[in-house]
Amino acid sequence: MVGFAPTFAGEPLLNEPLGALPTVESLQLDPAKIALGKRLFHDTRLSKDLTTSCASCHDLSKAGVDNLKRSLGVRRQEGGINAPTVFNSGLNFKQFWDGRATTLEEQIDQVVHNPLELDMTWSEIVERLNADTELAQQFKVSYPEGLGQNSIQEAIATFERSLLTPSRLDRYLKGDEKALSESEQKGYQLFKSYGCIACHQGVNIGGNMFQKFGALNDYFTVRGNLTKADLGRFNVTQKEADRHVFKVPSLRNVALTAPYFHDGSAESLEAAIEVMFRHQLGRTAPDEDKALIAQFLKTLTGETVGAKP
């Protein structure tokens, strides 16, 4: 991911549907807890067969994903859904595609118990990690209760909250008109005028609402071969209105996180844009306009703050 110059002159853009990311410093996260969480994020001792860590599916060198249609967990088992990026995930209003977890801590708990992911219990994890006297001592420094389920969850979640990726778009929103080229700015205007902004807005450019996949043209009849994962939020609420409803994903770093959608069905950014125009917007657009929107989306590739070893 690209870095960028942090200084520029200009006034922040007002009344924009997108917002600039906060800084890690503004979140006032404890550096020691971030370090502990980062260590555990890469620790395979959290998995039953000692093969899988959080980073296995959320590779920080690959924009927080694994670029697989479906991720592989313990015993090389394939999951049922595409793994979303961990970058900027602390800004999402819910976690998982179906929104079944409200916080990152809840999300971590569910991954631990999922038989296709880590397939563990907290008692097993705590026993394993407490055998590491150095790690146990580090936890006692940051957490009065020491190493346990709650402190492990909080440490990993704190690290994940630090994974912000400021991009050229953030510079533009803060007043640096030269941060985006003329064609990228035109792509942004088209992104708004065609209606993409209706679901992909706010600081995380998504991640703050639920939406039916195939809102204007049925996606699942065209695709066929439905799975339980395709039911989306219905699996959580059992409400018919929530059938095929999913959390709108963040578009930050979207150029790097293929394949796209909960089913990993779109292998390229251009293919994903085509699907969105057809099934979500119910519109057609000239190839030039779609290419300009793709150019704009590439400006969302950010600097991976806190991700480097």
Side-chain angles (χ1 to χ4, degrees), residues 168-180:
R168 288 193 290 123
L169 175 69
D170 294 284
R171 288 172 53 196
Y172 177 74
L173 293 173
K174 290 179 179 179
D176 183 359
E177 295 181 359
K178 296 181 179 179
L180 302 188

Side-chain angles (χ1 to χ4, degrees), residues 95-156:
Q95 305 298 329
F96 296 115
W97 282 100
D98 58 13
R100 63 185 183 274
T102 300
T103 66
L104 288 171
E105 286 85 351
E106 290 177 22
Q107 185 264 345
I108 292 163
D109 181 63
Q110 294 192 37
V111 170
V112 163
H113 290 104
N114 190 317
L116 298 180
E117 296 183 61
L118 298 182
D119 191 26
M120 282 289 275
T121 65
W122 283 110
S123 60
E124 290 176 286
I125 289 175
V126 171
E127 182 179 1
R128 279 186 186 178
L129 296 184
N130 264 317
D132 183 336
T133 55
E134 178 189 0
L135 181 64
Q137 181 57 41
Q138 289 175 346
F139 263 87
K140 287 181 181 178
V141 172
S142 292
Y143 295 94
E145 72 275 24
L147 194 158
Q149 175 182 343
N150 292 338
S151 57
I152 292 170
Q153 287 175 264
E154 186 191 76
I156 295 174

Side-chain angles (χ1 to χ4, degrees), residues 5-305:
T7 59
F8 52 83
E11 294 296 325
L13 300 184
L14 300 176
N15 302 316
E16 285 294 324
L18 303 184
L21 282 177
T23 63
V24 174
E25 292 74 20
S26 72
L27 300 180
Q28 298 183 324
L29 302 173
D30 186 326
K33 292 181 179 179
I34 292 174
L36 283 172
K38 184 175 184 178
R39 179 172 175 178
L40 293 180
F41 187 85
H42 295 86
D43 197 328
T44 59
R45 289 177 294 182
L46 272 64
S47 67
K48 178 73 74 174
D49 62 359
L50 302 172
T51 64
T52 307
S53 71
C54 305
S56 299
C57 300
H58 302 286
D59 190 331
L60 303 185
S61 69
K62 296 180 179 179
V65 297
D66 53 17
N67 299 128
L68 298 175
K69 188 172 183 178
R70 298 184 185 89
S71 297
L72 301 176
V74 293
R75 299 178 290 278
R76 304 293 291 173
Q77 297 176 101
E78 185 178 70
I81 204 162
N82 182 257
T85 179
V86 70
F87 283 115
N88 309 298
S89 60
L91 302 174
N92 292 330
F93 86 126
K94 302 283 186 181
Q95 305 298 329
F96 296 115
W97 282 100
D98 58 13
R100 63 185 183 274
T102 300
T103 66
L104 288 171
E105 286 85 351
E106 290 177 22
Q107 185 264 345
I108 292 163
D109 181 63
Q110 294 192 37
V111 170
V112 163
H113 290 104
N114 190 317
L116 298 180
E117 296 183 61
L118 298 182
D119 191 26
M120 282 289 275
T121 65
W122 283 110
S123 60
E124 290 176 286
I125 289 175
V126 171
E127 182 179 1
R128 279 186 186 178
L129 296 184
N130 264 317
D132 183 336
T133 55
E134 178 189 0
L135 181 64
Q137 181 57 41
Q138 289 175 346
F139 263 87
K140 287 181 181 178
V141 172
S142 292
Y143 295 94
E145 72 275 24
L147 194 158
Q149 175 182 343
N150 292 338
S151 57
I152 292 170
Q153 287 175 264
E154 186 191 76
I156 295 174
T158 299
F159 170 61
E160 291 176 342
R161 292 186 178 103
S162 76
L163 295 174
L164 303 178
T165 60
S167 68
R168 288 193 290 123
L169 175 69
D170 294 284
R171 288 172 53 196
Y172 177 74
L173 293 173
K174 290 179 179 179
D176 183 359
E177 295 181 359
K178 296 181 179 179
L180 302 188
S181 69
E182 183 178 341
S183 60
E184 289 166 345
Q185 291 184 40
K186 187 173 182 180
Y188 178 34
Q189 296 307 315
L190 291 169
F191 183 83
K192 292 189 285 186
S193 64
Y194 274 112
C196 312
I197 204 74
C199 296
H200 295 286
Q201 22 73 354
V203 172
N204 217 12
I205 317 176
N208 60 355
M209 67 170 69
F210 293 115
Q211 183 59 266
K212 182 176 181 178
F213 192 11
L216 294 180
N217 281 305
D218 190 332
Y219 170 80
F220 293 98
T221 298
V222 173
R223 198 207 66 188
N225 299 316
L226 266 64
T227 68
K228 182 179 179 181
D230 292 325
L231 296 175
R233 187 139 181 85
F234 176 84
N235 290 323
V236 180
T237 68
Q238 298 298 303
K239 295 180 179 178
E240 188 59 34
D242 286 334
R243 188 179 294 271
H244 306 317
V245 169
F246 298 87
K247 180 186 70 180
V248 175
S250 166
L251 293 184
R252 287 188 176 274
N253 304 298
V254 68
L256 304 177
T257 57
Y260 301 103
F261 310 134
H262 75 285
D263 57 3
S265 60
E267 296 185 0
S268 69
L269 183 60
E270 290 73 20
I273 292 171
E274 290 283 352
V275 171
M276 287 291 98
F277 265 94
R278 179 177 181 182
H279 294 283
Q280 292 306 111
L281 300 176
R283 304 182 66 175
T284 59
D287 289 342
E288 179 185 358
D289 285 3
K290 288 181 283 190
L292 287 168
I293 290 174
Q295 282 190 50
F296 162 66
L297 293 176
K298 291 174 183 177
T299 72
L300 307 181
T301 299
E303 180 186 15
T304 54
V305 175

